Amino acid sequence: MNILNKYKHLSAFLLLGPLCFGQYQFEVKNVSKSYDAVIQIEDCYDDRCGGKGTVELFDRKNSKVQTFISDDLILYTEQGQKPIQGKLIPLLKDQRAVIIDDFNFDGTEDVAIRNGNMGNYSGASYDVYVFNKTRMGFVKSEELTELGSNGLDIFDVDAQRKRLISYGKSGCCDIFTTEYAVIPNKGLDKVFEKEEDMSVEGSVKVTTKEKINNKWITKTKVYPSDQYNRNKK
């Protein structure tokens, strides 16, 4: 191991201080273009970790940027990895305990931290923090946290159309898709809804509602189930 890389790795570990001991610790290098992350979690069993935890972001100079706290920081380790208390375990970027993206389309990265399974049908839920240029730090967004905690998982980010897309379902046969535009200094504006009703055997009833010029336009169409492609726009 290169001696410089060794000490760089060690310095992040030492910055965590005495709270590390007795907890399970993980490191995600290049969790985004700007940050690395060190994750500490209370409990691990087999490949699943959860309970109280923290995520600490480090910049490219290995300086700690901010600490985030979660009451239930759920994480799944990679195949063949065995968490050991006090040992720093490397994880891949797609570990899903911490997700970094530009959620409000202002050109700066924001942070989502896993916090339990409070979503639709016990789906993953997230606390969402947006970067505040005035405070030069991440501030929790109640609106985005609510959106990130009510779907089947965290919302999708469509950077090209500047939309946040949330998914949900009801029973076996109803799937819901909701799109939101992000209005600067105002918040989320629901602009599109789609319901795919598969309760009648052999058919799919699709109802869409789209907000155009502040008016909702509703359309309904029924497709044969063997010809319906729900991924087609």
Side-chain angles (χ1 to χ4, degrees):
M1 179 186 292
N2 183 288
I3 189 69
L4 292 177
N5 289 335
K6 178 179 179 180
Y7 281 103
K8 181 180 179 181
H9 185 84
L10 182 62
S11 62
F13 182 81
L14 291 175
L15 281 170
L16 298 177
L19 292 177
C20 284
F21 299 103
Q23 292 186 327
Y24 296 89
Q25 302 141 55
F26 306 89
E27 182 178 45
V28 188
K29 302 293 290 184
N30 301 313
V31 69
S32 77
K33 62 183 180 181
S34 302
Y35 302 110
D36 301 327
V38 173
I39 301 168
Q40 300 176 66
I41 301 181
E42 192 174 46
D43 297 308
C44 286
Y45 181 77
D46 292 334
D47 66 340
R48 184 188 188 280
C49 299
K52 292 186 180 297
T54 62
V55 174
E56 303 197 70
L57 288 189
F58 293 85
D59 63 20
R60 288 292 176 261
K61 297 180 181 179
N62 212 22
S63 298
K64 185 163 67 173
V65 174
Q66 192 164 329
T67 300
F68 305 90
I69 299 173
S70 171
D71 289 331
D72 192 10
L73 185 51
I74 295 173
L75 179 149
Y76 292 90
T77 59
E78 296 161 29
Q79 187 174 6
Q81 286 186 325
K82 183 178 180 180
I84 300 173
Q85 288 184 337
K87 181 179 179 181
L88 196 63
I89 305 295
L91 292 177
L92 297 176
K93 178 181 177 180
D94 59 355
Q95 37 60 52
R96 305 295 289 176
V98 51
I99 299 172
I100 298 181
D101 205 336
D102 183 3
F103 299 133
N104 58 359
F105 310 112
D106 67 349
T108 61
E109 291 184 320
D110 307 306
V111 182
I113 304 296
R114 180 71 180 270
N115 190 5
N117 292 304
M118 297 178 287
N120 187 217
Y121 280 81
S122 298
S125 49
Y126 289 82
D127 294 333
V128 181
Y129 301 80
V130 297
F131 187 78
N132 186 296
K133 294 179 181 179
T134 302
R135 300 185 186 182
M136 291 304 294
F138 297 95
V139 177
K140 188 174 182 179
S141 166
E142 298 299 335
E143 194 172 28
L144 290 178
T145 294
E146 182 178 358
L147 183 62
S149 300
N150 291 332
L152 290 172
D153 202 324
I154 193 170
F155 46 79
D156 286 343
V157 178
D158 187 334
Q160 184 174 1
R161 296 192 302 135
K162 295 187 176 181
R163 297 279 180 89
L164 300 180
I165 307 170
S166 179
Y167 303 94
K169 69 175 184 176
S170 177
C172 67
C173 308
D174 260 358
I175 299 175
F176 301 93
T177 302
T178 309
E179 297 187 6
Y180 299 85
V182 180
I183 309 301
N185 301 317
K186 289 187 178 180
L188 300 179
D189 182 23
K190 183 163 64 175
V191 293
F192 179 82
E193 294 180 314
K194 179 170 70 172
E195 178 186 0
E196 297 162 281
D197 181 356
M198 306 174 197
S199 58
V200 177
E201 186 175 357
S203 67
V204 181
K205 180 182 178 181
V206 180
T207 302
T208 61
K209 298 178 181 180
E210 187 171 12
K211 191 176 184 181
I212 300 175
N213 296 325
N214 286 322
K215 293 183 179 180
W216 284 96
I217 307 299
T218 301
K219 297 179 181 179
T220 301
K221 189 171 182 179
V222 179
Y223 300 86
S225 57
D226 59 353
Q227 298 177 20
Y228 180 65
N229 180 3
R230 71 178 311 267
N231 295 316
K232 185 177 180 180
K233 299 295 185 182

